[in-house]
Amino acid sequence: MHLLQSGVDISVIALWLGHESPTTTHMYIEADLKMKEQALTHLQAPDTEPTRYRPPDTLSAFLRAL
């Protein structure tokens, strides 16, 4: 998963793992997504309201000066 998330093509990963085709490698990706979905079902929504990030004045001034 780390290789795929880093932008490595799935066919290259399949070759490195010795798989005959990327289809075999794709099964691992699907299994990983299923595990993530199962984990997410056990979470509760946070009790906080979403807020917008407000950068400090020094950061805003620095970015404007670029």
Side-chain angles (χ1 to χ4, degrees):
M1 286 304 297
H2 292 292
L3 291 171
L4 189 64
Q5 291 168 348
S6 298
V8 178
D9 188 66
I10 193 168
S11 58
V12 174
I13 298 170
L15 287 171
W16 287 346
L17 295 175
H19 295 165
E20 255 182 65
S21 76
T23 307
T24 307
T25 310
H26 193 271
M27 288 189 294
Y28 290 104
I29 296 168
E30 286 182 7
D32 190 60
L33 290 176
K34 287 179 185 175
M35 289 171 36
K36 289 179 183 179
E37 286 176 13
Q38 288 174 351
L40 289 173
T41 61
H42 296 291
L43 297 177
Q44 296 178 5
D47 292 337
T48 59
E49 289 292 321
T51 59
R52 185 171 181 193
Y53 174 72
R54 302 280 181 196
D57 292 335
T58 54
L59 177 60
S60 296
F62 170 75
L63 292 174
R64 279 192 294 276
L66 291 178

